[in-house]
Amino acid sequence: MVKSSGKARRGGLAASPSHLMHRALQLALDIYAEEAGPDGLTQRQFAVLEAVSHRSGLTQTDLVRATGIDRSTLADLVARMTARGLLDRERSTLDARAKAVRLSAAGEAALEAARPRVEAADRRILALLPKAKRDGFLALLAGLAGEADAAPDKARAEAKAAKKAAREAKKAEKLARKSARPDKPTKPTKPGKPGKPAKAARLKLVEPA
């Protein structure tokens, strides 16, 4: 009896990237929560403060791009963090319709206190992998995050290309219908009237001098 290989038996949840990533995320968040403690910043709060610390005056649209948090969740998060005094909001100098956020003194203090805890959580997560695979693991995560960041622009470009292709197809179809129509018959040349020479024959004769 030939034994099937482990690769051949692999299937179901064990072969599902979405399931495995969800399990890995649960593990990472559990480790983060243990290191941050009950009074610490949540992972999303830390991400927002860290992003704002690198570039003050970000709008909520900028924060969506920087953190990957969806727009509605981010709006609620920024509102609650502002109420807690971790962020200050003001009108953007670049767009009068948008609100920009900055770190408050309390937010800066909270971020400084959280950084060592986050670093400890990151070390624990990476320690679960062999040293030789850690850089590759981070590169894969960065690649997936980059694809997530590029997804909206790709979707817009694909929609634009689809509209252009539809216009071109419609134009080609119109030209095809036009070329398929039978040519209109040409009108027959009218004969000259009786007793009157044709136009060519009516040319004025020049008598020789």
Side-chain angles (χ1 to χ4, degrees):
M1 181 177 178
V2 180
K3 293 183 178 180
S4 60
S5 65
K7 186 175 182 180
R9 291 194 306 268
R10 189 179 180 85
L13 294 178
S16 170
S18 59
H19 173 73
L20 294 175
M21 290 175 68
H22 181 69
R23 291 287 303 276
L25 176 60
Q26 285 181 320
L27 174 62
L29 291 178
D30 288 343
I31 292 175
Y32 179 94
E34 290 173 7
E35 293 294 337
D39 59 337
L41 297 172
T42 66
Q43 200 280 329
R44 284 177 172 174
Q45 289 172 343
F46 174 80
V48 169
L49 292 180
E50 187 69 30
V52 175
S53 73
H54 287 281
R55 185 182 160 196
S56 186
L58 292 177
T59 65
Q60 290 190 17
T61 299
D62 296 328
L63 282 173
V64 168
R65 297 194 190 101
T67 64
I69 303 172
D70 67 88
R71 187 175 297 275
S72 59
T73 301
L74 183 71
D76 181 62
L77 185 61
V78 168
R80 286 188 282 110
M81 292 175 71
T82 303
R84 285 182 56 187
L86 298 175
L87 292 172
D88 290 329
R89 277 201 291 191
E90 59 189 19
R91 193 168 297 280
S92 172
T93 57
L94 300 177
D95 186 352
R97 298 168 298 176
K99 293 282 189 175
V101 294
R102 302 178 186 277
L103 279 182
S104 65
E108 189 170 352
L111 180 60
E112 289 299 321
R115 278 177 175 150
R117 302 180 183 186
V118 175
E119 290 170 1
D122 289 341
R123 285 194 298 269
R124 282 181 58 184
I125 293 168
L126 287 178
L128 298 173
L129 298 172
K131 287 184 179 180
K133 294 186 176 182
R134 293 173 189 175
D135 289 342
F137 174 69
L138 290 173
L140 287 173
L141 291 178
L144 287 173
E147 287 297 317
D149 292 340
D153 291 335
K154 284 185 177 180
R156 283 191 289 269
E158 289 173 359
K160 186 176 180 180
K163 286 183 179 179
K164 183 178 180 181
R167 288 197 300 268
E168 293 296 330
K170 190 174 182 180
K171 187 184 296 184
E173 184 181 356
K174 186 176 181 181
L175 289 174
R177 286 199 304 266
K178 186 176 180 180
S179 62
R181 294 173 185 168
D183 295 334
K184 293 181 179 180
T186 55
K187 294 181 179 180
T189 305
K190 293 180 179 180
K193 293 182 179 179
K196 191 175 182 180
K199 185 177 181 182
R202 294 201 309 267
L203 294 175
K204 186 176 181 181
L205 299 177
V206 180
E207 296 181 0

